[in-house]
Amino acid sequence: IADIAKKAGRHIVTVMGGTHPTLFPDAVLDDGNIDYIVRGEGGTPFRKLIHDLDAGRGDRTKIDGLSFRRNGTRYIGNIHTEDDIDTIPARHLLPVKKYHIGRKPYTFLLTSRGCPFTCNFCGKPPVAYRKRSLESIENEVDQVVAMGIRAVDFEDDMLNLDIPFFHGVLDIMKGRGIELSAMNGVYSQTLDTCTLA
């Protein structure tokens, strides 16, 4: 995709993020079509990069989590961890009607970020486990319901690590007519009959 973008115009800036670029930034930067990599949680670094590019200025080495090449030299930034995970996404910017699970309008939801474990079978980078406030989750769910969304997929890495917290999340969801799913991140060691009911 980066190759296609560069063939369309060498001026097009290409940025990659996610697990693979986070764990193997040198290998990804070997591809001359990749301009930048955002390592770890990308919300803040990506926004800062866009502002710097738009303004045509900025010392990119000061953007935490950013990696790039300049004049044959690589700069590999740290793995970034967001400070404020209670920020609610600007969902109104997305066309709700285009996203469905079955016939229900759908969105994802994060109640926590990271994982405290370092299992050797997992490709996730080491990012500390943090929980959002229940108040911010409730505010987000209120917005989701008001937009007509009726299906939520939890995208947490470790959704039910803290059972009292997770029960609080489920309490927020009760009676709202939302279908819940979790494609990943369900921790078998903390499942209990109350959660499964």
Side-chain angles (χ1 to χ4, degrees):
I1 292 171
D3 179 57
I4 292 168
K6 290 297 187 182
K7 282 177 180 169
R10 292 305 298 176
H11 66 284
I12 295 172
V13 177
T14 54
V15 184
M16 291 190 76
T19 300
H20 187 83
T22 294
L23 295 175
F24 305 105
D26 286 304
V28 174
L29 286 174
D30 280 344
D31 184 328
N33 295 308
I34 309 299
D35 296 313
Y36 298 96
I37 292 171
V38 177
R39 300 182 70 211
E41 297 173 341
T44 299
F46 189 59
R47 182 176 48 82
K48 287 181 179 178
L49 174 63
I50 289 171
H51 285 299
D52 279 6
L53 290 170
D54 191 46
R57 60 166 168 71
D59 179 359
R60 311 264 156 70
T61 62
K62 292 185 178 177
I63 300 177
D64 189 42
L66 196 66
S67 301
F68 53 91
R69 280 181 328 278
R70 280 294 173 270
N71 303 319
T73 302
R74 287 186 186 139
Y75 176 80
I76 306 297
N78 297 325
I79 294 175
H80 176 75
T81 303
E82 292 289 343
D83 293 326
D84 179 12
I85 65 169
D86 278 342
T87 300
I88 298 174
R91 296 183 183 279
H92 67 282
L93 298 175
L94 292 174
V96 173
K97 293 178 181 177
K98 290 190 176 184
Y99 299 94
H100 291 84
I101 288 183
R103 296 182 179 271
K104 295 183 178 182
Y106 145 86
T107 193
F108 72 90
L109 187 75
L110 283 168
T111 66
S112 64
R113 290 195 185 189
C115 176
F117 304 119
T118 54
C119 304
N120 60 8
F121 62 81
C122 184
K124 291 284 186 180
V127 176
Y129 175 74
R130 293 106 62 221
K131 299 177 290 190
R132 290 179 56 191
S133 71
L134 290 174
E135 180 183 5
S136 75
I137 294 168
E138 186 166 15
N139 289 339
E140 185 171 2
V141 172
D142 288 345
Q143 288 181 17
V144 162
V145 170
M147 293 172 72
I149 292 169
R150 294 298 175 259
V152 167
D153 176 43
F154 292 109
E155 286 291 328
D156 300 50
D157 289 327
M158 194 53 70
L159 178 61
N160 61 320
L161 179 66
D162 181 328
I163 283 296
F165 171 75
F166 185 53
H167 287 175
V169 171
L170 293 176
D171 286 343
I172 290 169
M173 299 292 182
K174 280 182 185 172
R176 293 179 182 259
I178 299 175
E179 180 179 310
L180 303 177
S181 62
M183 307 277 186
N184 65 310
V186 176
Y187 185 47
S188 63
Q189 299 297 317
T190 59
L191 281 177
D192 59 8
T193 54
C194 180
T195 303
L196 295 173

